[in-house]
Coordinates of all heavy atoms in Angstrom, one line a residue:
M7 N 29.9 109.9 56.2 CA 30.7 111.0 56.8 C 32.0 110.4 57.3 O 32.0 109.4 58.0 CB 30.0 111.7 58.0 CG 30.6 112.9 58.4 SD 29.8 113.8 59.8 CE 28.2 114.0 59.2
A8 N 33.1 111.0 56.9 CA 34.4 110.5 57.3 C 34.7 110.7 58.8 O 34.0 111.6 59.4 CB 35.5 111.2 56.5
V9 N 35.6 110.0 59.3 CA 35.9 110.1 60.8 C 36.3 111.5 61.2 O 35.8 112.1 62.1 CB 37.0 109.1 61.2 CG1 37.4 109.3 62.6 CG2 36.6 107.7 60.9
H10 N 37.2 112.2 60.4 CA 37.6 113.5 60.8 C 36.5 114.5 60.7 O 36.5 115.5 61.4 CB 38.8 114.0 59.9 CG 38.6 114.2 58.5 ND1 38.5 113.2 57.6 CD2 38.3 115.3 57.8 CE1 38.3 113.7 56.4 NE2 38.1 115.0 56.5
E11 N 35.5 114.3 59.8 CA 34.4 115.2 59.7 C 33.5 115.0 61.0 O 33.0 116.0 61.5 CB 33.5 114.9 58.5 CG 34.2 115.3 57.2 CD 33.4 114.8 56.0 OE1 33.2 113.6 55.8 OE2 33.0 115.7 55.2
E12 N 33.3 113.8 61.4 CA 32.5 113.6 62.7 C 33.2 114.3 63.8 O 32.6 114.9 64.7 CB 32.4 112.1 62.9 CG 31.4 111.4 62.0 CD 31.2 110.0 62.4 OE1 31.4 109.6 63.5 OE2 30.9 109.2 61.4
E13 N 34.5 114.1 63.9 CA 35.3 114.7 65.0 C 35.2 116.3 64.9 O 35.0 116.9 65.9 CB 36.8 114.3 64.9 CG 37.6 114.9 66.0 CD 39.1 114.5 65.8 OE1 39.4 113.6 65.0 OE2 39.9 115.1 66.5
Y14 N 35.2 116.8 63.7 CA 35.1 118.2 63.5 C 33.7 118.7 64.0 O 33.6 119.7 64.7 CB 35.3 118.6 62.1 CG 35.1 120.1 61.8 CD1 36.2 120.9 62.0 CD2 33.9 120.6 61.3 CE1 36.0 122.3 61.7 CE2 33.8 121.9 61.0 CZ 34.8 122.8 61.2 OH 34.7 124.1 61.0
M15 N 32.7 118.0 63.7 CA 31.3 118.4 64.1 C 31.1 118.3 65.6 O 30.3 119.1 66.1 CB 30.3 117.5 63.3 CG 30.4 117.6 61.8 SD 30.1 119.2 61.2 CE 28.4 119.3 61.1
H16 N 31.8 117.4 66.3 CA 31.5 117.2 67.7 C 32.4 118.1 68.6 O 32.1 118.3 69.7 CB 31.7 115.8 68.1 CG 30.5 114.9 67.5 ND1 30.4 114.6 66.2 CD2 29.4 114.5 68.2 CE1 29.3 113.9 66.1 NE2 28.7 113.8 67.2
R17 N 33.5 118.6 68.0 CA 34.4 119.4 68.8 C 34.1 120.9 68.7 O 33.7 121.3 67.6 CB 35.9 119.2 68.4 CG 36.4 117.8 68.7 CD 37.8 117.7 68.1 NE 38.7 118.6 68.8 CZ 40.0 118.7 68.6 NH1 40.5 117.9 67.6 NH2 40.7 119.5 69.2
K18 N 34.1 121.6 69.8 CA 33.8 123.0 69.8 C 34.9 123.8 69.1 O 34.6 124.6 68.3 CB 33.6 123.5 71.2 CG 33.1 124.9 71.3 CD 32.8 125.3 72.7 CE 32.1 126.7 72.7 NZ 31.7 127.0 74.0
H19 N 36.1 123.5 69.4 CA 37.3 124.1 68.8 C 38.2 123.1 68.1 O 38.5 122.1 68.8 CB 38.1 124.9 69.8 CG 37.3 126.0 70.5 ND1 37.1 127.2 69.8 CD2 36.8 126.1 71.7 CE1 36.4 128.0 70.6 NE2 36.2 127.3 71.8
V20 N 38.5 123.3 66.9 CA 39.5 122.5 66.3 C 40.7 123.3 65.9 O 40.6 124.5 65.6 CB 38.9 121.8 65.0 CG1 37.8 120.9 65.3 CG2 38.5 122.9 64.0
Y21 N 41.9 122.7 66.0 CA 43.1 123.4 65.8 C 43.9 122.6 64.7 O 44.0 121.4 64.7 CB 44.0 123.4 67.0 CG 43.3 124.2 68.1 CD1 42.6 123.6 69.1 CD2 43.4 125.6 68.1 CE1 41.9 124.3 70.1 CE2 42.7 126.4 69.1 CZ 42.0 125.7 70.1 OH 41.4 126.5 71.1
E22 N 44.4 123.4 63.8 CA 45.2 122.9 62.7 C 46.7 122.9 63.1 O 47.1 123.8 63.9 CB 45.0 123.8 61.5 CG 43.6 123.8 60.9 CD 43.2 122.7 60.1 OE1 44.0 121.7 59.9 OE2 42.1 122.7 59.5
E23 N 47.4 121.9 62.7 CA 48.9 121.9 62.9 C 49.6 122.5 61.7 O 50.7 123.1 61.9 CB 49.3 120.5 63.2 CG 48.8 119.9 64.5 CD 49.4 120.6 65.7 OE1 50.6 120.8 65.7 OE2 48.7 120.9 66.6
H24 N 49.2 122.2 60.6 CA 49.8 122.7 59.3 C 48.8 123.3 58.4 O 47.6 123.0 58.5 CB 50.5 121.5 58.6 CG 51.7 121.0 59.3 ND1 51.6 119.9 60.2 CD2 53.0 121.3 59.4 CE1 52.7 119.7 60.8 NE2 53.6 120.5 60.2
A25 N 49.3 124.2 57.6 CA 48.4 124.9 56.6 C 49.1 125.1 55.3 O 50.4 125.1 55.3 CB 47.8 126.2 57.2
Y26 N 48.4 125.3 54.3 CA 49.0 125.7 53.0 C 48.7 127.2 52.7 O 47.6 127.6 52.9 CB 48.4 124.8 51.9 CG 48.9 123.4 52.0 CD1 48.2 122.4 52.7 CD2 50.1 123.0 51.4 CE1 48.6 121.2 52.9 CE2 50.6 121.7 51.6 CZ 49.8 120.8 52.3 OH 50.3 119.5 52.4
V27 N 49.7 127.9 52.3 CA 49.6 129.3 52.0 C 48.8 129.5 50.7 O 49.1 128.9 49.7 CB 51.0 129.9 51.8 CG1 50.9 131.4 51.4 CG2 51.8 129.8 53.1
L28 N 47.7 130.3 50.8 CA 46.9 130.6 49.6 C 47.4 131.9 48.9 O 47.1 132.1 47.8 CB 45.4 130.8 50.0 CG 44.8 129.5 50.7 CD1 43.4 129.8 51.1 CD2 44.9 128.4 49.7
D29 N 48.0 132.8 49.7 CA 48.4 134.1 49.2 C 49.4 134.7 50.1 O 49.5 134.3 51.3 CB 47.2 135.0 49.0 CG 47.5 136.2 48.1 OD1 48.6 136.3 47.5 OD2 46.6 137.0 47.9
Y30 N 50.2 135.6 49.7 CA 51.2 136.3 50.5 C 50.9 137.8 50.4 O 50.9 138.3 49.3 CB 52.6 136.0 50.1 CG 53.7 136.8 50.8 CD1 53.8 136.7 52.2 CD2 54.5 137.7 50.1 CE1 54.8 137.5 52.8 CE2 55.5 138.4 50.7 CZ 55.6 138.3 52.1 OH 56.6 139.1 52.8
L31 N 50.6 138.4 51.5 CA 50.3 139.8 51.6 C 51.3 140.6 52.4 O 51.2 140.7 53.6 CB 48.9 140.0 52.2 CG 47.8 139.2 51.6 CD1 46.5 139.3 52.4 CD2 47.5 139.6 50.2
P32 N 52.4 141.1 51.7 CA 53.5 141.7 52.5 C 53.1 142.9 53.3 O 53.8 143.2 54.3 CB 54.5 142.0 51.4 CG 53.7 142.0 50.1 CD 52.6 141.1 50.3
Y33 N 52.0 143.6 53.0 CA 51.6 144.8 53.7 C 50.3 144.6 54.4 O 49.6 145.6 54.7 CB 51.6 146.0 52.8 CG 52.9 146.2 52.1 CD1 53.0 145.9 50.7 CD2 54.0 146.7 52.8 CE1 54.3 146.0 50.1 CE2 55.2 146.8 52.1 CZ 55.3 146.5 50.8 OH 56.6 146.7 50.2
G34 N 49.8 143.4 54.6 CA 48.5 143.1 55.2 C 47.4 143.1 54.2 O 47.7 143.2 53.0
R35 N 46.2 143.0 54.7 CA 45.0 143.0 53.8 C 44.8 144.4 53.2 O 44.8 145.4 53.9 CB 43.8 142.6 54.6 CG 43.7 141.1 54.8 CD 42.4 140.7 55.5 NE 42.5 141.1 56.9 CZ 41.5 141.3 57.7 NH1 40.3 141.3 57.2 NH2 41.7 141.6 58.9
S36 N 44.4 144.4 52.0 CA 44.1 145.7 51.3 C 42.8 146.2 51.7 O 42.5 147.4 51.5 CB 44.2 145.5 49.8 OG 43.2 144.6 49.4
S37 N 41.9 145.3 52.3 CA 40.6 145.7 52.7 C 40.5 146.5 54.0 O 39.5 147.0 54.4 CB 39.6 144.5 52.7 OG 40.1 143.6 53.7
E38 N 41.6 146.5 54.7 CA 41.7 147.2 56.0 C 41.6 148.7 55.8 O 42.3 149.2 54.9 CB 43.0 146.8 56.8 CG 43.0 145.4 57.2 CD 44.3 145.1 58.0 OE1 45.2 145.9 57.9 OE2 44.3 144.0 58.6
K39 N 40.9 149.4 56.6 CA 40.8 150.8 56.5 C 42.1 151.5 56.7 O 42.6 152.3 56.0 CB 39.8 151.4 57.5 CG 38.4 150.8 57.3 CD 37.6 151.6 56.3 CE 36.2 151.1 56.3 NZ 35.6 150.9 55.1
I40 N 42.8 151.1 57.8 CA 44.1 151.6 58.1 C 45.0 150.4 58.1 O 44.8 149.4 58.8 CB 44.1 152.2 59.6 CG1 43.1 153.3 59.6 CG2 45.5 152.7 59.9 CD1 42.8 153.8 61.0
P41 N 46.0 150.5 57.2 CA 46.9 149.3 57.1 C 47.6 149.0 58.5 O 47.9 149.9 59.2 CB 48.0 149.8 56.1 CG 47.4 151.0 55.4 CD 46.4 151.5 56.4
S42 N 47.8 147.8 58.8 CA 48.4 147.4 60.0 C 49.9 147.8 59.9 O 50.4 148.3 58.9 CB 48.3 145.9 60.2 OG 48.9 145.2 59.1
S43 N 50.6 147.7 61.0 CA 51.9 148.2 61.1 C 52.9 147.4 60.2 O 53.8 146.8 60.6 CB 52.4 148.1 62.5 OG 52.4 146.8 63.0
S44 N 52.5 147.4 58.9 CA 53.2 146.8 57.8 C 53.6 145.3 58.1 O 54.6 144.8 57.8 CB 54.5 147.6 57.4 OG 55.4 147.5 58.4
S45 N 52.7 144.6 58.9 CA 53.0 143.2 59.2 C 52.4 142.4 58.0 O 51.3 142.6 57.6 CB 52.4 142.8 60.5 OG 51.0 143.0 60.5
A46 N 53.2 141.5 57.6 CA 52.8 140.6 56.5 C 51.8 139.6 57.0 O 51.9 139.1 58.1 CB 54.1 139.9 55.9
N47 N 50.8 139.3 56.1 CA 49.8 138.3 56.5 C 49.8 137.3 55.4 O 50.3 137.5 54.3 CB 48.4 139.0 56.5 CG 48.2 139.9 57.7 OD1 49.1 139.9 58.6 ND2 47.2 140.6 57.7
S48 N 49.2 136.2 55.7 CA 48.9 135.2 54.7 C 47.6 134.5 55.0 O 47.4 134.0 56.1 CB 50.1 134.2 54.6 OG 50.1 133.3 55.7
P49 N 46.7 134.4 54.0 CA 45.5 133.6 54.2 C 46.0 132.2 53.9 O 46.7 131.9 53.0 CB 44.5 134.1 53.1 CG 45.4 134.8 52.1 CD 46.6 135.3 52.8
D50 N 45.5 131.3 54.8 CA 46.0 129.9 54.7 C 44.8 128.9 54.8 O 43.8 129.3 55.4 CB 46.9 129.6 55.8 CG 48.1 130.6 55.9 OD1 48.7 130.8 54.9 OD2 48.3 131.1 57.0
M51 N 45.0 127.7 54.3 CA 44.0 126.7 54.4 C 44.6 125.5 55.2 O 45.6 125.0 54.9 CB 43.6 126.1 53.0 CG 42.5 125.1 53.2 SD 41.9 124.4 51.6 CE 43.4 123.6 51.0
G52 N 43.9 125.2 56.3 CA 44.3 124.1 57.2 C 44.4 122.8 56.5 O 43.6 122.5 55.6
E53 N 45.4 122.0 56.8 CA 45.6 120.7 56.2 C 44.6 119.7 56.5 O 44.2 118.9 55.7 CB 47.0 120.3 56.5 CG 47.4 119.0 55.9 CD 48.9 118.6 56.2 OE1 49.1 118.3 57.4 OE2 49.7 118.7 55.3
R54 N 44.1 119.6 57.8 CA 43.3 118.6 58.2 C 41.8 118.9 58.1 O 41.0 118.1 57.6 CB 43.6 118.2 59.7 CG 42.8 117.0 60.2 CD 43.3 116.5 61.4 NE 42.5 115.3 61.8 CZ 42.7 114.7 62.9 NH1 43.5 115.1 63.8 NH2 41.9 113.6 63.1
Y55 N 41.4 120.0 58.5 CA 40.0 120.4 58.5 C 39.6 121.4 57.4 O 38.5 121.9 57.4 CB 39.5 120.9 59.9 CG 39.8 120.0 61.0 CD1 40.8 120.1 61.9 CD2 38.9 118.8 61.1 CE1 41.0 119.2 62.9 CE2 39.1 117.9 62.1 CZ 40.2 118.1 63.0 OH 40.4 117.2 64.0
F56 N 40.6 121.8 56.6 CA 40.4 122.8 55.5 C 39.8 124.1 56.1 O 39.1 124.8 55.4 CB 39.5 122.2 54.4 CG 39.9 120.9 53.9 CD1 39.3 119.7 54.2 CD2 41.1 120.9 53.1 CE1 39.7 118.5 53.7 CE2 41.5 119.6 52.6 CZ 40.9 118.5 52.9
T57 N 40.2 124.5 57.3 CA 39.8 125.7 57.9 C 40.6 126.9 57.2 O 41.8 126.8 57.0 CB 40.2 125.7 59.4 OG1 39.7 124.6 60.0 CG2 39.7 127.0 60.1
L58 N 39.8 127.9 56.9 CA 40.5 129.1 56.3 C 40.9 130.0 57.4 O 40.1 130.4 58.3 CB 39.5 129.9 55.4 CG 39.1 129.2 54.1 CD1 38.0 130.0 53.4 CD2 40.3 128.9 53.2
L59 N 42.2 130.4 57.5 CA 42.8 131.1 58.5 C 43.6 132.3 58.0 O 44.1 132.3 56.9 CB 43.8 130.2 59.4 CG 43.2 129.0 60.0 CD1 44.3 128.1 60.4 CD2 42.3 129.3 61.1
E60 N 43.8 133.3 58.9 CA 44.6 134.4 58.5 C 45.8 134.4 59.5 O 45.5 134.4 60.7 CB 43.9 135.7 58.6 CG 44.7 136.9 58.2 CD 44.0 138.2 58.1 OE1 42.8 138.2 58.6 OE2 44.6 139.2 57.7
A61 N 47.0 134.4 59.0 CA 48.2 134.3 59.9 C 49.0 135.6 59.7 O 49.2 136.1 58.6 CB 49.0 133.1 59.5
E62 N 49.5 136.1 60.8 CA 50.5 137.2 60.8 C 51.9 136.6 60.8 O 52.2 135.8 61.7 CB 50.3 138.1 62.0 CG 51.2 139.3 62.0 CD 50.9 140.3 63.1 OE1 49.7 140.5 63.5 OE2 51.9 140.7 63.7
L63 N 52.7 137.0 59.9 CA 54.0 136.4 59.8 C 55.0 137.1 60.7 O 54.8 138.3 61.0 CB 54.5 136.4 58.3 CG 53.6 135.7 57.3 CD1 54.1 135.9 55.9 CD2 53.4 134.2 57.7
K64 N 56.0 136.4 61.0 CA 57.1 137.0 61.8 C 57.9 138.0 60.9 O 57.9 137.9 59.7 CB 58.1 135.9 62.3 CG 57.5 135.0 63.4 CD 58.5 134.1 63.9 CE 57.9 133.3 65.0 NZ 58.8 132.4 65.7
V65 N 58.5 139.0 61.6 CA 59.2 140.0 60.9 C 60.3 139.4 60.1 O 61.1 138.5 60.6 CB 59.8 141.0 61.9 CG1 60.7 142.0 61.2 CG2 58.7 141.7 62.7
G66 N 60.4 139.7 58.8 CA 61.4 139.2 57.9 C 61.0 137.8 57.3 O 61.7 137.4 56.4
A67 N 60.0 137.2 57.7 CA 59.6 135.9 57.2 C 58.8 136.1 55.9 O 58.0 137.1 55.7 CB 58.7 135.1 58.1
T68 N 59.0 135.3 54.9 CA 58.3 135.3 53.7 C 57.8 133.9 53.4 O 58.4 132.9 53.9 CB 59.1 135.8 52.5 OG1 60.2 134.9 52.3 CG2 59.5 137.2 52.6
V69 N 56.7 133.8 52.7 CA 56.1 132.5 52.3 C 55.8 132.5 50.9 O 55.7 133.5 50.2 CB 54.9 132.1 53.2 CG1 55.2 131.9 54.6 CG2 53.8 133.2 53.0
A70 N 55.6 131.3 50.3 CA 55.3 131.2 48.9 C 54.1 130.3 48.7 O 53.8 129.4 49.6 CB 56.5 130.6 48.1
V71 N 53.3 130.6 47.7 CA 52.1 129.8 47.4 C 52.6 128.5 46.7 O 53.4 128.6 45.8 CB 51.2 130.6 46.5 CG1 50.0 129.7 46.1 CG2 50.7 131.8 47.2
P72 N 52.3 127.4 47.0 CA 51.4 126.8 48.0 C 52.2 126.1 49.2 O 52.0 125.0 49.5 CB 50.6 125.7 47.3 CG 51.6 125.2 46.3 CD 52.6 126.3 46.0
E73 N 53.1 126.9 49.8 CA 54.0 126.4 50.8 C 53.2 125.8 52.0 O 52.2 126.3 52.4 CB 54.9 127.5 51.3 CG 55.9 127.1 52.3 CD 56.8 128.2 52.7 OE1 56.8 129.3 52.1 OE2 57.6 128.0 53.7
R74 N 53.7 124.7 52.5 CA 53.1 124.1 53.7 C 53.9 124.7 54.9 O 55.1 124.5 55.0 CB 53.3 122.6 53.7 CG 52.7 121.8 54.9 CD 52.9 120.3 54.7 NE 52.3 119.6 55.8 CZ 52.9 118.9 56.7 NH1 54.3 118.9 56.8 NH2 52.3 118.3 57.7
I75 N 53.1 125.3 55.9 CA 53.7 125.9 57.0 C 53.2 125.3 58.3 O 52.0 124.9 58.3 CB 53.6 127.4 57.0 CG1 52.1 127.8 56.9 CG2 54.4 128.1 55.9 CD1 51.9 129.3 57.1
Y76 N 54.0 125.4 59.4 CA 53.5 124.9 60.7 C 52.8 126.1 61.4 O 53.3 127.2 61.5 CB 54.7 124.4 61.5 CG 54.2 124.0 62.9 CD1 53.6 122.8 63.1 CD2 54.5 124.8 64.0 CE1 53.2 122.4 64.4 CE2 54.1 124.4 65.3 CZ 53.4 123.2 65.4 OH 53.0 122.9 66.7
I77 N 51.5 125.8 61.8 CA 50.8 126.8 62.5 C 50.3 126.4 63.9 O 49.5 127.0 64.5 CB 49.6 127.3 61.7 CG1 48.6 126.1 61.4 CG2 50.0 128.0 60.4 CD1 47.3 126.5 60.8
G78 N 50.8 125.2 64.3 CA 50.4 124.6 65.6 C 50.8 125.5 66.8 O 51.3 126.6 66.7
R79 N 50.6 125.0 68.0 CA 50.9 125.7 69.2 C 52.3 125.8 69.7 O 52.7 126.6 70.5 CB 50.0 125.1 70.3 CG 48.5 125.3 70.1 CD 47.7 124.7 71.2 NE 46.3 125.0 70.9 CZ 45.4 125.3 71.9 NH1 45.8 125.2 73.1 NH2 44.2 125.5 71.6
D80 N 53.1 124.9 69.1 CA 54.6 124.9 69.5 C 55.3 126.0 68.8 O 54.7 126.9 68.1 CB 55.2 123.6 69.2 CG 54.6 122.4 70.1 OD1 54.2 122.7 71.2 OD2 54.6 121.3 69.6
R81 N 56.6 126.0 68.9 CA 57.4 127.0 68.3 C 57.2 127.1 66.8 O 57.5 126.1 66.1 CB 58.9 126.8 68.6 CG 59.8 127.9 68.1 CD 61.2 127.6 68.6 NE 62.1 128.6 68.1 CZ 62.7 128.6 66.9 NH1 62.6 127.5 66.2 NH2 63.5 129.5 66.5
R82 N 56.8 128.2 66.2 CA 56.5 128.4 64.8 C 57.7 129.1 64.2 O 58.2 130.0 64.7 CB 55.3 129.2 64.6 CG 54.0 128.6 65.2 CD 52.9 129.6 65.0 NE 51.7 129.2 65.7 CZ 50.9 130.0 66.4 NH1 51.2 131.2 66.5 NH2 49.9 129.5 67.0
E83 N 58.1 128.6 63.0 CA 59.2 129.2 62.3 C 58.9 130.5 61.6 O 59.7 131.4 61.7 CB 59.8 128.2 61.3 CG 61.0 128.6 60.6 CD 61.5 127.6 59.6 OE1 61.3 126.4 59.9 OE2 62.1 128.0 58.6
K84 N 57.8 130.5 60.9 CA 57.4 131.7 60.1 C 56.2 132.5 60.6 O 56.1 133.6 60.3 CB 57.2 131.3 58.7 CG 58.4 130.7 58.0 CD 58.2 130.4 56.6 CE 59.5 130.0 55.9 NZ 59.3 129.9 54.5
V85 N 55.3 131.8 61.4 CA 54.1 132.5 61.8 C 54.2 133.1 63.2 O 54.6 132.4 64.1 CB 52.9 131.5 61.8 CG1 51.7 132.1 62.3 CG2 52.7 131.0 60.3
D86 N 53.9 134.3 63.3 CA 53.9 135.0 64.7 C 52.7 134.6 65.4 O 52.7 134.2 66.6 CB 54.1 136.5 64.5 CG 54.3 137.2 65.8 OD1 54.9 136.6 66.7 OD2 53.8 138.3 66.0
R87 N 51.5 134.8 64.8 CA 50.2 134.5 65.4 C 49.2 134.2 64.4 O 49.3 134.7 63.3 CB 49.8 135.6 66.4 CG 49.4 136.8 65.7 CD 49.0 138.0 66.6 NE 48.6 139.2 65.9 CZ 47.4 139.6 65.8 NH1 46.4 138.9 66.4 NH2 47.1 140.7 65.1
I88 N 48.1 133.5 64.8 CA 47.0 133.3 64.0 C 46.0 134.4 64.3 O 45.6 134.5 65.5 CB 46.3 131.9 64.2 CG1 47.3 130.8 63.9 CG2 45.0 131.8 63.4 CD1 47.8 130.7 62.5
I89 N 45.7 135.3 63.4 CA 44.8 136.4 63.6 C 43.4 135.9 63.8 O 42.7 136.3 64.7 CB 44.8 137.4 62.4 CG1 46.2 138.0 62.3 CG2 43.8 138.4 62.6 CD1 46.5 138.8 61.1
G90 N 43.0 134.9 63.1 CA 41.6 134.3 63.3 C 41.2 133.5 62.1 O 42.0 133.4 61.1
R91 N 40.0 133.0 62.2 CA 39.4 132.2 61.1 C 38.8 133.2 60.1 O 38.4 134.3 60.4 CB 38.4 131.3 61.6 CG 38.9 130.2 62.4 CD 37.9 129.2 62.7 NE 38.5 128.1 63.5 CZ 37.9 127.3 64.3 NH1 36.6 127.5 64.5 NH2 38.5 126.3 64.9
I92 N 38.8 132.8 58.8 CA 38.2 133.6 57.8 C 36.9 132.8 57.4 O 37.0 131.6 57.1 CB 39.1 133.7 56.5 CG1 40.4 134.3 56.9 CG2 38.4 134.4 55.4 CD1 41.4 134.3 55.8
G93 N 35.8 133.5 57.5 CA 34.5 132.9 57.1 C 34.5 132.6 55.6 O 35.2 133.4 54.8
Y94 N 33.9 131.6 55.2 CA 33.8 131.3 53.7 C 33.2 132.4 52.9 O 33.6 132.6 51.8 CB 33.1 130.0 53.5 CG 33.9 128.8 54.0 CD1 33.6 128.2 55.3 CD2 34.9 128.3 53.3 CE1 34.4 127.2 55.7 CE2 35.7 127.2 53.7 CZ 35.4 126.7 55.0 OH 36.1 125.6 55.4
D95 N 32.3 133.2 53.6 CA 31.7 134.3 52.9 C 32.6 135.5 52.8 O 32.4 136.4 52.0 CB 30.4 134.7 53.5 CG 30.6 135.1 55.0 OD1 31.5 134.6 55.6 OD2 29.7 135.8 55.5
Q96 N 33.7 135.5 53.6 CA 34.7 136.6 53.6 C 35.8 136.4 52.7 O 36.6 137.3 52.4 CB 35.2 136.9 55.0 CG 34.2 137.3 56.1 CD 34.8 137.2 57.5 OE1 35.6 136.4 57.8 NE2 34.4 138.2 58.3
A97 N 36.0 135.1 52.3 CA 37.2 134.8 51.5 C 37.0 135.3 50.1 O 35.9 135.1 49.4 CB 37.3 133.3 51.5
N98 N 37.9 136.0 49.6 CA 37.9 136.4 48.2 C 39.2 136.0 47.5 O 39.8 136.8 46.9 CB 37.6 137.9 48.1 CG 38.3 138.8 49.1 OD1 38.7 138.3 50.1 ND2 38.3 140.1 48.9
C99 N 39.5 134.8 47.7 CA 40.7 134.3 47.0 C 40.3 133.6 45.8 O 39.3 133.0 45.7 CB 41.5 133.2 47.9 SG 41.4 133.3 49.6

């Protein structure tokens, strides 16, 4: 087991600093019953732990596949907030 895998297994919460965009959803997820207030989303894969995340983008921000974006806790250029983790069974990318 690699060092980062051991660290992942022992930490309760892991945070990614950067992620790669897997898709760009300009109107949010199509599986939502009621579309969100037209906020763009992007499913992303974390760079270090390969965590699948859903990010809400800032107004006017666009991303491209497979763009590397900053999702850490400091000032983010394109991401407004991390909506949450996507379970591997929920991913349909």
